[in-house]
């Protein structure tokens, strides 16, 4: 610093301790990957959803899909069924001056929401990337090489990625691959178990048996 002045580029900012509602996501940028934290506050209220952090339409839709999945699984997650009517939810991506968009923050947002709603702290040494559907399926993403490099640089121990991205692991730096524990998730249930230790239904229980399926033309009720 005596020769070059104050430090211009610092380590990726992320929480150094386990917190409820704070999860480390992984983002791709034009100059490489970086940690992208997601913060969630759950407040007494009337069901309002607040999204801040200069988000694009895709990320806003991801947040809404995550809430829809949680509503459908609220009973097994131990979350009050009427949380979407009795609580206000604020989802925030820090560094609001930086525009953010892309289909890879869904599972991060969903995990942060579940952590905040259940009071289960999120370990600070886990990062994740992947999109989520309203039924909880985890969809593949791009930029895995850059994202895993960011996780390694930030001293993450475990990285949760979509199952469909497993073949891409062969393309990342061998040092990075050796230094990280990878969890391959097909469903949001897999993510929550790996990240928060919350066990829900087994994979086979997610599908409705053919004999129980509603006949064509039947009215569908929850």
């Amino acid at each position: 610093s005596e020769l070059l002045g104050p430090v211009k580029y610092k380590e990726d900012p992320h929480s150094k301790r386990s917190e409820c509602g704070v999860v480390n996501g992984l983002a791709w940028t034009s100059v490489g990957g970086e940690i992208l934290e997601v913060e969630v506050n759950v407040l007494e209220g009337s069901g309002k959803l607040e999204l801040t952090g200069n988000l694009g339409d895709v990320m806003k839709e991801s947040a809404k899909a995550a809430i829809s999945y949680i509503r459908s699984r609220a009973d097994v997650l131990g979350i009050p069924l009427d949380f979407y009517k009795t609580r206000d939810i604020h989802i925030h991506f820090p560094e609001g001056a930086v525009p953010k968009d892309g289909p890879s923050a869904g599972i991060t947002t969903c995990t942060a929401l579940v952590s905040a709603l259940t009071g289960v702290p999120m370990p600070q040494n886990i990062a994740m990337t992947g999109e989520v559907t309203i039924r909880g399926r985890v969809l593949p993403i791009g930029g895995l090489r850059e994202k895993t490099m960011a996780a390694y640089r930030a001293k993450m121990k475990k990285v949760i990625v979509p199952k469909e991205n497993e073949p891409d692991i062969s393309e990342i730096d061998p040092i990075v691959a050796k230094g990280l524990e990878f969890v391959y998730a097909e469903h949001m249930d897999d993510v929550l178990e790996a990240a928060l230790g919350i066990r829900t239904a087994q994979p086979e229980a997610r599908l409705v048996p053919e004999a129980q399926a509603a006949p064509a033309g039947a009215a569908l009720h929850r």
Side-chain angles (χ1 to χ4, degrees), residues 139-160:
L139 304 181
I141 47 83
L144 189 63
R145 186 176 187 276
E146 293 82 1
K147 292 175 180 179
T148 53
M149 183 69 76
Y152 180 78
R153 187 174 64 241
K155 298 180 174 59
M156 296 290 121
K157 298 298 183 184
K158 181 187 295 184
V159 176
I160 303 172

Side-chain angles (χ1 to χ4, degrees), residues 53-54 93-100:
N54 202 352
F93 291 76
E95 297 187 62
V98 180
K100 309 173 188 71

Side-chain angles (χ1 to χ4, degrees), residues 40 42 63 66-67 70 89 91 108-118:
V40 172
V42 178
I67 290 177
I70 293 171
I89 295 175
I91 302 173
T108 311
T109 304
C110 192
T111 303
L113 283 162
V114 172
S115 174
L117 288 164
T118 60

Side-chain angles (χ1 to χ4, degrees), residues 21-212:
V22 181
V23 178
N24 295 315
L26 296 171
W28 179 92
T29 73
S30 59
V31 293
E34 64 178 28
I35 296 292
L36 179 64
E37 262 190 354
V38 180
E39 299 179 343
V40 172
N41 268 352
V42 178
L43 315 162
E44 292 289 339
S46 56
K48 296 178 182 177
L49 174 63
E50 186 79 17
L51 300 170
T52 55
N54 202 352
L55 308 181
D57 290 339
V58 174
M59 291 184 70
K60 291 177 182 177
E61 290 178 0
S62 294
K64 294 175 182 177
I67 290 177
S68 183
Y69 160 77
I70 293 171
R71 286 182 60 183
S72 73
R73 306 286 284 159
D75 51 348
V76 296
L77 291 171
I79 297 172
L81 298 180
D82 62 348
F83 78 90
Y84 65 96
K85 295 189 293 186
T86 61
R87 298 288 188 275
D88 287 348
I89 295 175
H90 187 167
I91 302 173
H92 178 61
F93 291 76
E95 297 187 62
V98 180
K100 309 173 188 71
D101 202 11
S104 63
I107 68 171
T108 311
T109 304
C110 192
T111 303
L113 283 162
V114 172
S115 174
L117 288 164
T118 60
V120 177
M122 176 68 198
Q124 59 83 29
N125 59 357
I126 299 177
M128 61 186 70
T129 180
E131 187 55 286
V132 67
T133 73
I134 60 174
R135 301 299 296 270
R137 289 187 298 118
V138 176
L139 304 181
I141 47 83
L144 189 63
R145 186 176 187 276
E146 293 82 1
K147 292 175 180 179
T148 53
M149 183 69 76
Y152 180 78
R153 187 174 64 241
K155 298 180 174 59
M156 296 290 121
K157 298 298 183 184
K158 181 187 295 184
V159 176
I160 303 172
V161 301
K163 174 70 173 177
E164 291 186 46
N165 283 112
E166 186 173 1
D168 300 330
I169 297 298
S170 62
E171 298 180 353
I172 70 176
D173 190 291
I175 295 177
V176 174
K178 186 177 179 180
L180 296 171
E181 174 190 350
F182 289 94
V183 175
Y184 304 105
E186 293 183 276
H187 194 273
M188 196 62 215
D189 292 350
D190 305 325
V191 178
L192 296 179
E193 182 172 349
L196 302 174
I198 297 177
R199 292 194 174 190
T200 54
Q202 295 302 311
E204 58 271 17
R206 300 175 195 140
L207 304 177
V208 178
E210 200 170 314
Q212 297 179 19

